[in-house]
Structures are given as C-alpha cells and as structure tokens.
Amino acid sequence: MHEFPPNINPEVFTVSALIVGLLIEDDFTADELNSIGNWLILVGQITLTTSAQQQLINNRYQNNTGSRIKSDANNHASTNPELVTKNDINLLNEKIQRLERLLNDRDK
C-alpha cells in the first residue's frame, strides 16, 4: 500500500476520482449511492483525523513547544511512554488530603 496514492499530478488525481464516481453512479440506486457515499466520507474522515492528530504530535515534538507527547510517525499503534506513574498520583493524592485537612482545621 506504500505506492498508493500514486505520485501523479494533483489535478489528474482529482479527475480520476470524478471519473470513478461517474462510472459507478449508473450501477446503483439513489439509496445505495447515498449509503456508499456516506461510507466513503466516513473512511475519509477517519484517515484525515488520524493524519491531523499525527501531524499535531509530530509538530509539537519537532518544534519542542513544551509538549511531552512523543509518537512514532510510522506506527500509530505504538504506545507513548508513561509520563505519570502511580507514585506520582499517590503523591498528589497525599498532598490534596493534607490540604483538605489544613482547610478543615482552619474552618473549625
């Protein structure tokens, strides 16, 4: 799949989609075309959303804008390193409980 889409002129690529759309429209009813079209739009939305999120992560990592998100650009299934540990959460919980006790004691 690394050879699709092909490296062709963008206008030709767009016209090829137009031609495919016109060719298949005679073979289906309006309801079928509606269903197929919505399915294709959903596929497009998923690929665009995945791509946009990957670009955001890559740009933040490359530009070092303070984000600690790191992602493998070639593998969307890879896991990001753990940034917060259970010890961090436990420490925060202890500090919150201490603050609550201080506030409760002050209100008495």
Side-chain angles (χ1 to χ4, degrees), residues 25-37:
E25 77 175 356
D26 287 338
D27 296 334
F28 298 100
T29 67
D31 288 339
E32 292 168 336
L33 286 171
N34 193 17
S35 179
I36 293 167

Side-chain angles (χ1 to χ4, degrees), residues 2-66:
H2 292 287
E3 296 177 17
F4 186 83
N7 291 333
I8 61 174
N9 180 293
E11 288 83 13
V12 172
F13 190 62
T14 301
V15 170
S16 69
L18 171 71
I19 292 169
V20 170
L22 291 173
L23 288 174
I24 68 167
E25 77 175 356
D26 287 338
D27 296 334
F28 298 100
T29 67
D31 288 339
E32 292 168 336
L33 286 171
N34 193 17
S35 179
I36 293 167
N38 279 306
W39 184 83
L40 289 171
I41 289 170
L42 177 60
V43 170
Q45 288 174 328
I46 291 169
T47 57
L48 289 171
T49 301
T50 302
S51 176
Q53 185 64 16
Q54 190 63 47
Q55 286 176 330
L56 173 71
I57 291 169
N58 290 347
N59 286 338
R60 284 181 175 169
Y61 180 63
Q62 290 170 357
N63 297 331
N64 195 18
T65 59

